[in-house]
Amino acid sequence: MSSLGVEDWLVDDDRLLAGSAATVGGKAWQLARLRRFGLPVPEFVVIPAACSRLRRDGVPAELLAALDAAIARRGWQGQALAVRSSAVGEDGSKASFAGIYRSCLNVLGREQMAAAIAAVWTSLDTPTAEAYRQKLGLPDTPLMAVIVMPMVAAQASGIAFTCDPLNGRFDRLVVQAQWGLGESLVAGQAAGDEYVFVENAASEWHLLERRAGSKQTISVPLAAGGTASQAVAPERAAGFVFETEKAEHLANLLYDAAIALDFVSPFYDLEWAWDGQRFWLTQARPVTARPYRSYDALRGQPVIWTRGNTCEVMPEPLSPCDWAFSRWGVNSLLEQGWKLCGYPLLPGVQRAGLFHGRLYLEASILQWEAWDAIGLPPGQLNALMGGHQPEIAVPSPSWRQRLMRLGRMLRYLVLAPGQRRRGMAAVARVHATASQTRQTPLPNDAAGLARLLRQQALAAGAEVEMHFLQGSGGGTLSLLVPMLEKAFPDEGEALLAALLAGGEPSVTAQQGYALLALARLAKSPECYGQPEKSPKFQKAFAEFLEKYGHRGHYETYYRSLRLREQPELLLAQIAALADVDEAALRQRQQAARDQAWAKVATRLPWWRRLLLRQMLKAANQECNQREAARSAIVASLDAARRTILAAAQLGVEQGALRRVEDCFLGMPSEAFRVLAGDLPPVGMLARVLEREAIFKAWAQEEAPEYLLIDAVGSPQAPPRPAGREAGDGKLWRGVATGTGAARGRVRVLRHPAERERLLPGEILVAPSTDPGWTPLFLQAAGLIVETGGYMSHGAIVAREFALPAVVNLPGIMGQLRDGDEVEVDGLRGEVRRCTS
């Protein structure tokens, strides 16, 4: 290798990422990524890993000469340098090699540099390193790159974990701090101060608690090179290294580094230093043995992740902006009901996950909480959620547990009405605030936009009563289904759907009826076939947009356009609904209810029918409140979207974004840092470019309905369920959510924007449904949906419109074609292909 040039002996950090981690090792690779993403990492050069093959012959003079030249070019002469290991495979997601390989601090002069490089190289061959590689099953032909960088004149330093390393909590960030160099902390020889932080709804970290550590002895650099221990003055040893403001500044910097490296799983072990003016990051590696946070009763069972429910509202990949909202929002929605009934939730569990870019729910945790809290069987919860995920194994309850469950249900029944009233007040408050925000000019400066965006995020996170409505809307339904099923085997779901048909309309159904009213007005003689020129129509159209303009197709995505942003879409929907017979729809609803009550009267005594009426009223109210809460949540997203887009315009002007739409590839905390000037525009742009590539790759992936994660963390995708043969056709069985039966030709649509292809009387087949699909329900004769459960949006609205519907049929989109003749049996939950 003596014939190699300077470019072969050394790799600059600015061209390092053009190669691979196999060339420069894991530590250097991660540091180079941090620098690219705008994080404060000292400049450095790397001796490539291949050079370590020379370790038995000593450090070549050519290498030292190349290093001398590089040091001179950078003005590092006379500076103390750090020489650090960066082995291939080090600081990776599977193996950290923490404390295994050598690093040398405060290296002065060429002689010490040669000794330091040799020491780092030869640490590959220690018995400890060999045993570590053998334990992990790694090949015993290791290579070691070496990082050379200026020493940070550290007044304080330490390590940090962007999760709780002891129990795996995702909602905690832990920092350990020590005066001077951090050698003693990293080596585990000293315990510095410990700071624990908690995240708020704006993705900002605040100090939760701090504990003073033992700081009597610290590590300091020596004038002649190397380091030594030194006693600390008693008053300094007894005090904290940082006060709250400085500690929180560090915590948010560390979290920014973690999401820059991996916004999906930002769980990193980092090293940092403080030079009296600014913080520096000197190492970042994934937390390799993060404990999985779950209930003890689930130990030994596979972790079940399902998108049987979430793929209805968020079927496509989530952007980082969407994930930031979902990762805390899902937990808040799903926790409120259990908190109200007094169930002791395990803090810090994560019920939302991102796989293949799609949103999944942790079904094993959800099933256990429902079973342990009130005795709801896992299979019944699955039916409410939707999907074909397996059930967890649950133990038989003791008499004490049964009494506790009864107590929780009684507590819920007593407290829920008040919580629902407060939730509906919150719905009205959120809509009023969103309306006021739309009418108020946005700030035109970065600080004002950041302040408004933070206020909006915190306000959305504080509306827990509204979250209760959205996350706890299936309580009475979960009791009604088994009650009817007991009296009418295999007909309970369909019978309940018929009994609920045409009740007090939800806000989504009201939106559909309002569209029908606009369609009638547009067709009336008053408009002369030109509604756009009619003042009466324009007034009604403006009123519709004021009330429903925040909604849109797949409206839970920040990136989705809202109705008020595309009025031409509404006009097209109105034209398509011109011939829908609302009177016939009302008659269908009434007929479904009458037939269902007549059937109920054959088996249920009068007193049970009276109870049933009361429970139906409660179920209808809960479903409507769930839809109302959803509408309000979307209104708050719409308001935040407006602010985000305004901030993005500043980002484009600064060079942090190429175009306004790039803002959805950022996290809220990154927006705050860019607006505050804490994140260089070039660093934000680098993140956007990397995530754009990730997002495009996700869009090409097929996400399974559910995943099983085994004990060692390996995901297993199940086979997709298929229809089963029945007679001379094909039969599929799903969840019955509509009423009656309908026969017609299939129309397969993948997005509501394809509405023009749907003809009146056709059977609509869709991958998922959110409120953007509602106008199509008014045109279709029947509905078939791949996803969803009894509490899904499609199920609720199909029941309201008395539309024959079957949901939760994975793979049906690939098995039916336009023009196929099918029968949708909303009573049995079956879809049959017709052959004649």
Side-chain angles (χ1 to χ4, degrees), residues 234 412 450 704 734 752:
Y412 184 93

Side-chain angles (χ1 to χ4, degrees), residues 385-632:
M385 286 198 304
H388 295 81
Q389 60 275 358
E391 302 172 18
I392 61 170
V394 295
S396 298
S398 66
W399 64 268
R400 185 184 298 275
Q401 289 171 323
R402 292 178 189 273
L403 286 176
M404 292 177 68
R405 290 172 178 175
L406 178 60
R408 293 187 191 110
M409 287 190 281
L410 291 174
R411 175 186 169 93
Y412 184 93
L413 289 173
V414 170
L415 298 180
Q419 188 79 333
R420 291 191 175 280
R421 287 192 297 272
R422 290 187 290 273
M424 290 306 294
V427 166
R429 182 168 59 247
V430 168
H431 277 297
T433 301
S435 178
Q436 182 180 7
T437 301
R438 287 198 306 273
Q439 298 167 21
T440 304
L442 289 169
N444 56 12
D445 64 297
L449 286 169
R451 187 164 50 250
L452 177 58
L453 190 58
R454 184 177 289 105
Q455 290 171 354
Q456 290 172 329
L458 294 175
E463 298 290 4
V464 293
E465 293 90 354
M466 188 174 72
H467 299 168
F468 168 79
L469 298 182
Q470 172 69 17
S472 305
T476 306
L477 276 180
S478 67
L479 300 175
L480 279 168
V481 172
M483 172 181 169
L484 289 171
E485 193 69 25
K486 185 175 181 180
F488 301 92
D490 299 324
E491 298 181 70
E493 292 173 346
L495 191 57
L496 178 56
L499 291 169
L500 289 168
E504 184 68 26
S506 68
V507 65
T508 309
Q510 291 174 26
Q511 179 181 335
Y513 293 135
L515 273 177
L516 286 177
L518 283 174
R520 286 196 304 272
L521 178 58
K523 192 178 179 181
S524 70
E526 298 176 72
C527 293
Y528 303 103
Q530 295 180 304
E532 67 277 4
K533 296 182 179 179
S534 166
K536 184 174 182 180
F537 178 86
Q538 291 301 315
K539 181 175 182 293
F541 190 77
E543 290 172 350
F544 181 93
L545 283 179
E546 176 60 28
K547 190 170 185 179
Y548 302 111
H550 61 286
R551 312 210 73 170
H553 294 163
Y554 293 114
E555 59 196 12
T556 313
Y557 295 106
Y558 276 108
R559 64 180 182 267
S560 293
L561 291 172
R562 311 295 150 167
L563 291 178
R564 70 169 55 89
E565 296 176 273
Q566 42 185 351
E568 69 284 353
L569 170 64
L570 267 181
L571 292 172
Q573 290 179 346
I574 290 168
L577 295 173
D579 297 323
V580 172
D581 188 344
E582 185 175 348
L585 168 62
R586 301 289 189 180
Q587 291 171 5
R588 188 173 70 199
Q589 294 169 334
Q590 187 63 51
R593 282 200 308 274
D594 291 345
Q595 292 171 12
W597 277 113
K599 189 164 190 174
V600 165
T602 64
R603 299 190 189 177
L604 293 185
W606 68 268
W607 61 270
R608 292 194 67 185
R609 295 199 300 272
L610 182 61
L611 174 62
L612 177 61
R613 286 187 184 276
Q614 294 301 315
M615 294 180 70
L616 286 170
K617 182 179 179 181
N620 179 254
Q621 181 187 57
E622 289 173 7
C623 290
N624 288 356
Q625 290 175 345
R626 186 173 190 264
E627 289 292 295
R630 175 186 171 84
S631 175

